[in-house]
Amino acid sequence: MIFTDKWGTKQKVYDYINEGILTEDVVFELKNKPYCDVDENDLKEIFIVWNNYKKDETYIIKCPVIGSTQRSYIINIKDRDGSTKYENYRELKILKKEINQYIHYKASSTYEIAFAFLLMQEQRKILKALQDKDDIDLYRLFIEASNHNSFVALEIIAEELEMDYLLRLDDDTKSEKEN
């Protein structure tokens, strides 16, 4: 990868955006869709950022909403402790006011917002990997992408560094339907 001129770096950022980068509109979405805009009657799934501490990986899980109360959603999530060979599920309550807010389980109404939360949480790892790579072209790409927005910059660098575990999506709604 060689983009020594500014135009080549800008073009690389535009190429990523044109290919459908996930976080392009997240800043707009976060500013304009607070948790109270979530249609509480039609929410069928919630995306949560999950930390797998054993493998030092963080990824997103798509969980089915199986019920709700006046103040919370009840989701079903597969146990991921690895202590049993059978798939076990447990119910978690997510407060409605925590949807699309960066607290607790980092619950989101859309995958894009969950991915932005994941990037915020993992930015230290992404930037450390960028520093360890010590590639001037990657630094330039990061700076140019940062001019667009910081989420886009983190996503592009994570992709360039092949941090594929960040793009992992476990779908507990599928497993739930099969049981």
Side-chain angles (χ1 to χ4, degrees), residues 6 97 103 146:
K6 186 170 174 113
K97 68 180 183 179
I103 49 178
S146 294

Side-chain angles (χ1 to χ4, degrees), residues 96-147:
K96 290 180 179 179
K97 68 180 183 179
E98 290 182 359
I99 299 296
N100 297 335
Q101 303 296 315
Y102 189 61
I103 49 178
H104 200 47
Y105 286 101
K106 297 119 194 143
S108 305
S109 59
T110 67
Y111 177 72
E112 291 78 12
I113 293 175
F115 188 65
F117 289 154
L118 182 140
L119 289 174
M120 284 191 305
Q121 180 176 318
E122 296 298 302
Q123 70 181 338
R124 183 183 51 75
K125 281 186 189 175
I126 296 168
L127 295 175
K128 175 75 171 115
L130 174 62
Q131 181 182 14
D132 291 346
K133 187 76 171 181
D134 196 25
D135 183 334
I136 190 68
D137 289 330
L138 280 177
Y139 286 129
R140 287 182 180 148
L141 183 61
F142 179 75
I143 290 167
E144 186 60 41
S146 294
N147 290 331

Side-chain angles (χ1 to χ4, degrees), residues 13 34 36 78 118 166 178:
V13 171
C36 58
K78 183 169 72 171
L118 182 140
L166 294 174
E178 294 168 0

